[in-house]
Amino acid sequence: LNASPNLRVAAFCVIATAALVGVATRLSKMTTVTAEPAAFELKSLDLRVGEPIGNAAFDGVRNTEPPGVRLRVPGCIDSVFVVPIEILSPTAPQIADNTYSQMPYYRSTDVYGGRIRKDFSHLSKVASYLAARVFVDARNVDINYFLRVYAPSGCDIEPAAYLAWAAAILKLASAIGPAGSR
Amino acid sequence: MIFSPGEAMITMLPAALARVRDRHILLAFIGGLAVAVCWRGLSPGLEALLEERSGIGVGELLAIAALISVVLRFRNDELLSPADLLAIAAASLAFAIPSKVAASAPLAIVGCLFVLRRDARLASIGQLLLALAFYEWVGQILFHILSPLVLKAEAFAVYALLSQFGRFTLNGLVIAATNGHAISIGSACSAFHNLSLATLIWLSLIKLETLKLKRFHFWILAAMAAATVALNTVRMALMAQSRPMYEFWHNGSGATIVAVTMLTVVIGIFLSGRSLAPAR
């Protein structure tokens, strides 16, 4: 079945217009867009010791591989550590566990996309990341990292506290901006 | 009668549009995909255009060149049905969105539409679009899903190579030397990305020459893949030797040496494989 000349012209115009609009939309984003995904640099967090993060207080950055935010939490004798981990990296969670599981009696809780993730397998991380990317720019810290919170087993921590710590730290990291734009 | 340039354009435009053929529609589509694929995430400034971080690479350039060469073989033939035209036009709307994921959708949709067509030109366009979509988007998703297994296999290959020359240990994805130096095999180290690039280059070079895929082409692909994996394994083995070696091969000139060598070897295998094929 041959297409009519009018349909051919209409299709050509739609495709050419979409390409031209594509040039315009990309030009309009050029001043802000960088190719590099935002890096989560804990050293750059603008925080002073004692500053509140949710119901906890900032107590410095643990300079290990990977580094983690140390928090003082009411009712906990030992510190809580919040560690940003690249969501698509199959190796980073293992390295974090190797580092932080050296502390006995600590358990970990994963937070991503404003939710606590139980059994956050590699496959569910990839699926969550892809779902998040539909709505959020790929360079945002929020979607490229999940936060693994290492807390002493004896501490009674409300789920809302985990979410508040994660939201506060992500907000501070997002304020720094993508690595390439600084 | 004398026309101003504006008046002449208005007069000539309807006549030009009346002569729109399939090749013009497909060239417009390729223009849209070139914008979408090559213009992702550029830093401000034209100097960024040729940096590694821009979307313009050898693979993309060859694929676009191959697509144009196939489309130019259409001459004035009319092969696209009304349904094809509607599908291509609708899918192309995604080119307007400045997002890599959105831009990959038209490639995948039109690629699937054409890949099984009898006409070798349409089928070739489908194959090229699917290879490009795989390289840009689908392949990366697949890699992220399979990365725990792929990286384990690659770490084992590096360890097996290293153990021929000295004492190394393998713990998960971490390879450690006796001098205390250790490397962790990350996603960016994988040969998977190089393999999908090699496949795109392979298909593009074939389509620049001929529309038909033959058996010897797949032998060439297998050789290209083997060389790519071997070179990447050697690179990681070199990085595992010591900290200075890691810096050189990962962050220094070594990374460029490997990239250029890999590209040269891949294209060299293609060209020599093509000339060695007995009856093409």
Side-chain angles (χ1 to χ4, degrees), chain A residues 3-4 7 17 25 37 64 67 81 89 93-94 99 110 126 133 142 145 150 155 175:
Chain A
S4 73
L7 182 60
T17 306
T25 52
T64 46
F81 295 93
S89 168
Q94 188 201 340
T99 303
D110 293 334
V126 173
R133 266 197 68 171
D142 314 41
Y145 288 84
Y150 293 91
C155 288

Side-chain angles (χ1 to χ4, degrees), chain A residues 45-60 69-74 161 164-169 171-172:
Chain A
L45 291 181
D46 190 18
L47 280 170
R48 284 182 298 276
V49 172
E51 206 165 317
I53 293 182
N55 67 340
F58 178 69
D59 192 30
V69 174
R70 190 165 49 230
L71 298 178
R72 285 274 164 210
V73 178
W165 300 336
I169 290 169
K171 194 175 169 189
L172 285 165

